[in-house]
Amino acid sequence: MDELLSATHPRMFSLQKIVEISYYNMGRIRLQWSRIWEVIGDHFNKVGCNPNEDVAIFAVDSLRQLSMKFLEKGELANFRFQKDFLRPFEHIMKRNRSPTIRDMVVRCIAQMVNSQAANIRSGWKNIFSVFHLAASDQDESIVELAFQTTGHIVTIVFEKHFPATIDSFQDAVKCLSEFACNAAFPDTSMEAIRLIRHCAKYVSDRPQAFKEYTSDDMNVAPEDRVWVRGWFPILFELSCIINRCKLDVRTRGLTVMFEIMKTYGHTYEKHWWQDLFRIVFRIFDNMKLPEQQTEKAEWMTTTCNHALYAICDVFTQYLEVLSDVLLDDIFAQLYWCVQQDNEQLARSGTNCLENVVILNGEKFTLEIWDKTCTCMLDIFKTTIPHALLTWRPVGGEFCSGSSSDAKEKLDTISQKSVDIHDSIQPRSSDGRPYQPSTGATVAEETSKARPAAKFPEQKLFAALLIKCVVQLELIQTIDNIVFFPATSKKEDAENLAAAQRDAVDFDVHVDTQDQGMYRFLTSQQLFKLLDCLLESHRFAKAFNSNNEQRTALWKAGFKGKSKPNLLKQETSSLACGLRILFRMYMDESRTSAWEEVQQRLLNVCSEALSYFLTLTSESHREAWTNLLLLFLTKVLKISDERVRSSSKLQCCRYMYTLTFSKAILQ
């Protein structure tokens, strides 16, 4: 070390002699050689980090020559000396920041892999450690060479020498993950994810190799070793990529993660799924979301959204195994999504709930149906925007400015009314939700509409609008679940066509009627859903009737250029509730519930009739057209025998028919 201290003319005579002595003593038994290398290896660590590049280059080149000679000898089973011998490369790569030396270390390791792969055993850990350090470098040549060699190991060496490399399988996957997370080289990131996908094939094809593998630091049952050493590292590293990388890379990582689950999930044990979804649900962990609001919103709209649909797909594919393991967590996650101040994610929460139930409802047990109805009930109750009825402007002022022109303009516009849900992205023609879109959300449109509004109010109004969106989406979800998507829409169209032909007694037939989940739900479960719908209807009705509050909200900048209303929510919730009641009342298999159904029908119809007769706005009455036709058609289709058996129903049938016929004619 004294010879090497000179900054300008270091002497390397002793260093050369150490290399020669190491070479000539390499034939000693492992125990002796291990003690010698403790001293010499530590010396190479220091010399390889010497600030003089000539000294460091000589040290690294000497190490390379010794290592190649040492690797030629191979390594016996249960020995780990290669790992100790190659550790100086790892140390130098970690501590020496010189691009020249780092590049040289990577080239030396690459040469060893290319020429001595068949003889490497425990040394693979050091090799992947060096490449792991190189993966986060900003020098393109270092990253490219390290990645090319890593790719060669994963695709060629693993194929030929998998039992010898299995001890470092986790290190290989972790190394690829680090390459994927280097934002400076996006092409390398994508290729690294592809190679992780390739690693999954090794685990699938060679589970026995993992079961037979043992090591001193591993106390795992043989049947779980393929999970702990194989599947878990792959899926965990993909989740790290998702949580660390930019949008395009994390999206690819997410896609590959769920591809692996869908392709190989049939081989997973039930308790493996529990471990796996602890990783998956980290994607939604609020504590890990970026603090910047724009990044947080992008994360929710893209990654969380994508993950939500993918989780539901996996659940559907492996329902029999996952219904016990995952259902509660899925419902909890969907509930979390609709609570977020992100419209796309909130809508996706209800859409995914619909997909899960429609695709799997036939296989649900009574207990699962109870959980499903409770989940919908909880979402309904927590997303009713009560603040729409209680909000008051600060200081009692509705809007800024007091000129007579402004007041006149306000009075003119206030006569108009716009449905809060008008800006909602529509569903497809069959009533199913569209997949995520990049279009403007209701909340975004509102924030643009009145930029002058105070920020806290904008935030509150945006949150209230999202709740309104969830309410309407959930109403549609219940309708689609109970009756199957598009069924109610087709029924409304046929009712209107029949009324226009003056043939209300026309038999409305909808092909998809029996595809819904109605027949799998108990009467009590249907009553639960009905209570949700009616609560939503009454809230919307209360808001629509409160002209003063709607005016106050509009003047404060809520929902654009006209007074807000909840007409769609008012009519669709009641329509869905009536469909459920009338279907139950005509269902011979539910005779035990007929008395309660009849009582509920009479109460709902009387309440609706009384309310409709008070409406003065033409547009409001027009919004009830389909609802009136539904009333009329359903009431007239009740058999005469059933009507005669109830004097109340007989009286109501006459009143409804008379009233609604006049309303339709008007």
Side-chain angles (χ1 to χ4, degrees):
M1 288 302 293
D2 288 342
E3 286 186 353
L4 299 172
L5 286 176
S6 172
T8 53
H9 296 92
R11 296 180 67 231
M12 288 185 274
F13 175 81
S14 295
L15 181 59
Q16 176 69 45
K17 289 302 169 190
I18 286 174
V19 174
E20 291 176 14
I21 289 167
S22 299
Y23 182 83
Y24 287 121
N25 280 272
M26 208 173 276
R28 287 176 179 266
I29 64 169
R30 296 294 190 273
L31 185 63
Q32 291 178 334
W33 180 236
S34 180
R35 290 173 182 170
I36 294 170
W37 192 251
E38 278 182 20
V39 180
I40 296 177
D42 183 60
H43 183 65
F44 272 114
N45 285 345
K46 293 170 184 172
V47 177
C49 294
N50 193 294
N52 187 310
E53 277 195 358
D54 291 337
V55 174
I57 287 170
F58 185 85
V60 173
D61 189 54
S62 301
L63 263 176
R64 178 190 62 80
Q65 293 177 54
L66 286 173
S67 300
M68 294 290 278
K69 192 69 180 173
F70 189 81
L71 290 173
E72 285 175 7
K73 298 164 71 71
E75 186 174 62
L76 299 173
N78 300 318
F79 280 87
R80 298 286 182 273
F81 191 63
Q82 283 183 357
K83 191 160 65 172
D84 296 332
F85 199 93
L86 295 177
R87 193 166 284 134
F89 286 107
E90 192 179 334
H91 181 89
I92 295 166
M93 192 70 184
K94 191 179 291 183
R95 304 293 172 85
N96 197 326
R97 302 314 303 169
S98 164
T100 304
I101 302 303
R102 293 168 68 80
D103 183 80
M104 188 175 181
V105 169
V106 171
R107 290 184 187 282
C108 289
I109 296 291
Q111 186 182 356
M112 287 178 214
V113 170
N114 291 328
S115 61
Q116 297 295 330
N119 294 323
I120 300 173
R121 294 291 185 274
S122 64
W124 286 117
K125 280 190 173 291
N126 308 86
I127 289 169
F128 285 121
S129 183
V130 169
F131 289 157
H132 186 276
L133 292 165
S136 56
D137 210 293
Q138 298 303 301
D139 187 305
E140 186 175 2
S141 62
I142 292 174
V143 174
E144 188 174 345
L145 179 60
F147 183 67
Q148 281 177 355
T149 311
T150 305
H152 171 76
I153 296 169
V154 169
T155 55
I156 307 298
V157 178
F158 275 13
E159 189 68 42
K160 292 181 180 177
H161 311 289
F162 194 72
T165 59
I166 196 168
D167 183 46
S168 58
F169 183 79
Q170 290 168 283
D171 303 278
V173 177
K174 191 173 183 181
C175 182
L176 289 170
S177 171
E178 195 65 23
F179 279 111
C181 291
N182 191 333
F185 307 102
D187 290 344
T188 301
S189 298
M190 293 298 189
E191 184 63 13
I193 294 171
R194 187 191 69 80
L195 289 175
I196 293 176
R197 176 75 175 82
H198 189 75
C199 287
K201 195 170 185 304
Y202 290 122
V203 184
S204 173
D205 292 347
R206 310 182 190 199
Q208 197 60 33
F210 288 94
K211 288 178 184 176
E212 293 170 356
Y213 171 77
T214 56
S215 69
D216 299 334
D217 61 339
M218 187 173 166
N219 186 21
V220 179
E223 59 271 16
D224 287 336
R225 284 175 189 163
V226 66
W227 172 252
V228 174
R229 286 282 185 176
W231 291 121
F232 188 83
I234 288 172
L235 295 161
F236 179 79
E237 291 304 331
L238 285 168
S239 79
C240 291
I241 292 169
I242 294 162
N243 283 310
R244 286 177 60 189
C245 295
K246 294 294 183 183
L247 179 59
D248 53 345
V249 177
R250 73 171 182 255
T251 300
R252 183 64 192 147
L254 190 67
T255 302
V256 168
M257 176 193 261
F258 283 99
E259 270 181 13
I260 290 171
M261 286 187 222
K262 291 174 185 177
T263 307
Y264 304 109
H266 63 280
T267 65
Y268 295 178
E269 299 292 335
K270 185 177 281 192
H271 61 283
W272 298 359
W273 284 107
Q274 290 175 316
D275 289 345
L276 172 54
F277 275 95
R278 284 193 196 100
I279 300 171
V280 173
F281 285 127
R282 287 171 63 217
I283 296 167
F284 301 93
D285 190 344
N286 230 4
M287 299 303 292
K288 290 184 173 63
L289 293 175
E291 289 302 317
Q292 295 87 345
Q293 191 60 34
T294 52
E295 288 188 27
K296 185 173 178 179
E298 184 199 58
W299 179 275
M300 286 185 165
T301 305
T302 55
T303 304
C304 289
N305 213 53
H306 185 170
L308 202 61
Y309 282 94
I311 288 168
C312 294
D313 287 344
V314 169
F315 178 78
T316 299
Q317 186 172 341
Y318 300 109
L319 176 69
E320 291 180 8
V321 177
L322 297 182
S323 58
D324 295 337
V325 178
L326 191 59
L327 188 69
D328 290 342
D329 290 331
I330 282 189
F331 283 159
Q333 202 59 60
L334 294 174
Y335 180 79
W336 177 84
C337 288
V338 300
Q339 305 302 312
Q340 303 310 301
D341 290 336
N342 183 288
E343 183 190 329
Q344 183 64 65
L345 191 61
R347 291 176 66 241
S348 293
T350 58
N351 295 347
C352 285
L353 177 62
E354 178 182 322
N355 291 342
V356 165
V357 178
I358 287 176
L359 293 172
N360 305 294
E362 293 183 10
K363 300 172 187 173
F364 280 5
T365 62
L366 187 63
E367 183 186 359
I368 294 177
W369 272 116
D370 280 335
K371 287 180 180 179
T372 306
C373 292
T374 301
C375 178
M376 287 191 271
L377 188 67
D378 290 342
I379 294 174
F380 251 125
K381 286 187 177 298
T382 55
T383 57
I384 291 179
H386 292 292
L388 283 179
L389 290 173
T390 59
W391 177 85
R392 293 291 181 273
V394 179
E397 293 181 3
F398 286 156
C399 59
S400 58
S402 58
S403 69
S404 57
D405 289 343
K407 285 182 180 178
E408 186 178 342
K409 186 178 180 183
L410 288 177
D411 289 339
T412 305
I413 299 175
S414 68
Q415 301 308 312
K416 299 176 183 176
S417 180
V418 63
D419 196 307
I420 288 173
H421 305 102
D422 278 347
S423 300
I424 294 178
Q425 183 184 345
R427 293 185 171 221
S428 59
S429 57
D430 65 351
R432 299 301 292 277
Y434 281 116
Q435 282 293 329
S437 118
T438 54
T441 62
V442 173
E444 287 168 352
E445 290 188 359
T446 301
S447 64
K448 291 173 188 173
R450 280 288 179 101
K454 296 174 184 176
F455 180 73
E457 286 181 351
Q458 276 193 349
K459 194 171 180 183
L460 171 66
F461 289 167
L464 289 174
L465 279 168
I466 291 169
K467 288 189 173 187
C468 293
V469 168
V470 173
Q471 285 281 302
L472 192 65
E473 284 287 313
L474 199 53
I475 291 163
Q476 186 65 61
T477 291
I478 290 178
D479 192 280
N480 286 351
I481 287 172
V482 177
F483 301 110
F484 197 75
T487 302
S488 298
K489 190 175 179 181
K490 289 176 184 174
E491 186 181 26
D492 284 343
E494 293 197 19
N495 285 340
L496 182 60
Q500 288 171 340
R501 291 197 303 273
D502 194 19
V504 179
D505 60 340
F506 176 72
D507 185 22
V508 175
H509 176 69
V510 182
D511 294 335
T512 53
Q513 191 170 8
D514 291 332
Q515 294 180 42
M517 296 295 119
Y518 168 83
R519 61 193 188 280
F520 300 104
L521 287 154
T522 66
S523 296
Q524 289 309 310
Q525 289 164 349
L526 287 168
F527 286 145
K528 268 189 183 180
L529 299 180
L530 183 66
D531 290 338
C532 293
L533 293 165
L534 293 179
E535 187 176 351
S536 184
H537 165 71
R538 285 169 187 139
F539 175 82
K541 192 167 66 172
F543 179 73
N544 292 337
S545 301
N546 194 334
N547 192 54
E548 183 182 348
Q549 180 69 8
R550 288 165 55 215
T551 302
L553 285 165
W554 162 64
K555 288 182 178 180
F558 182 78
K559 195 59 181 98
K561 298 179 180 179
S562 302
K563 276 194 299 186
N565 67 58
L566 291 169
L567 284 185
K568 284 192 181 76
Q569 183 175 326
E570 176 186 289
T571 54
S572 60
S573 55
L574 182 57
C576 185
L578 284 172
R579 283 189 174 94
I580 291 172
L581 284 171
F582 278 112
R583 179 82 183 268
M584 292 176 75
Y585 196 61
M586 306 293 283
D587 187 349
E588 297 288 341
S589 65
R590 297 187 191 268
T591 51
S592 59
W594 275 358
E595 188 175 343
E596 185 176 352
V597 172
Q598 180 174 299
Q599 191 55 50
R600 283 174 175 260
L601 255 178
L602 290 168
N603 292 339
V604 171
C605 291
S606 299
E607 187 182 324
L609 178 61
S610 302
Y611 175 69
F612 178 74
L613 292 174
T614 65
L615 299 181
T616 55
S617 164
E618 187 179 341
S619 59
H620 199 157
R621 293 169 70 88
E622 232 173 70
W624 274 61
T625 301
N626 283 338
L627 196 52
L628 297 179
L629 284 170
L630 180 69
F631 265 122
L632 189 59
T633 307
K634 295 291 187 185
V635 167
L636 288 175
K637 286 192 182 301
I638 300 174
S639 68
D640 293 340
E641 291 77 15
R642 295 288 300 283
V643 173
R644 278 196 290 270
S645 67
S646 169
S647 56
K648 282 186 180 178
L649 190 61
Q650 195 169 358
C651 180
C652 287
R653 181 179 184 181
Y654 174 74
M655 285 176 61
Y656 298 157
T657 307
L658 182 63
T659 305
F660 294 141
S661 297
K662 286 181 179 178
I664 291 168
L665 287 171
Q666 287 172 357

